[in-house]
Amino acid sequence: MYRHVVFDLGGTLIDTYPELDAALLEVVALGGGEVTREQVETLTRQSTATAIAELSERFGIPAAHFEAATTALKRRWRDSPPPAMPGARAVMDLVAANGGRSFVVTHRDRDSATSLLEQLGLVPDDLVCPGDGFPRKPDPTMHRVIAQRHGLDPADCVGVGDRPIDAQAARAAGMAAAVLEVPGVDNDTVAEHRLGSMVDLLALLTATAR
């Protein structure tokens, strides 16, 4: 039974990708280039840094232009955050109802992550990020810190994310892993569970609670 869930944030609990993709597409268009949304999606699902580096090199647009666009997007999110992923709130409610806890392990800086969560009314039991002094995923340190800090058996936990590095970090910390699949994006992963949406996670948690 998975009692506790360790979530990634962007693309997992919160639907950040559509607005991020649009911001990068706009920079390319303003620079006179042409790229499809699907091509940008493939890059951003690896990481924002990967997308910026690839698009900058491909179109000869300074990386600073893309970075300025993502910074402006984060500022807009302070007042108008992207939506929670469908089913995210219900999953966190179910975890609590079953006596478990929800945690967030994210690469986003703490202030940005906390602001997004608070605005959307998503309240995890703890949040850990590299700004706390920990290495980035796929290093399992942040997952291990969550388990140690709260006295959890990793076998009772499932790590949920949208990228292979999320699954790798969870598995290396002794937890099960579930990955949200993105249509058109090759998500080769070590995860035990592949999810079409957070609604599928709701079904998985219900099944393992029986």
Side-chain angles (χ1 to χ4, degrees), residues 13-114:
L13 274 181
I14 302 177
D15 195 9
T16 53
Y17 282 127
E19 292 183 46
L20 173 61
D21 296 337
L24 299 183
L25 279 164
E26 183 178 13
V27 174
V28 172
L30 290 173
E34 293 185 8
V35 64
T36 67
R37 179 175 288 272
E38 290 74 19
Q39 289 171 324
V40 172
E41 288 175 350
T42 299
L43 295 171
T44 56
R45 273 45 170 192
Q46 296 176 57
S47 73
T48 302
T50 296
I52 289 175
E54 174 67 23
L55 294 172
S56 175
E57 181 177 359
R58 186 186 305 179
F59 296 103
I61 299 171
H65 292 192
F66 294 99
E67 291 162 357
T70 59
T71 298
L73 179 61
K74 291 177 181 179
R75 283 198 299 265
R76 292 199 298 274
W77 282 346
R78 293 173 188 168
D79 299 315
S80 182
M85 293 290 264
R89 213 176 306 275
V91 167
M92 293 182 76
D93 289 345
L94 177 63
V95 171
N98 288 340
R101 297 180 182 181
S102 295
F103 306 97
V104 170
V105 169
T106 178
H107 286 171
R108 189 173 297 275
D109 67 87
R110 177 170 289 278
D111 287 345
S112 174
T114 301

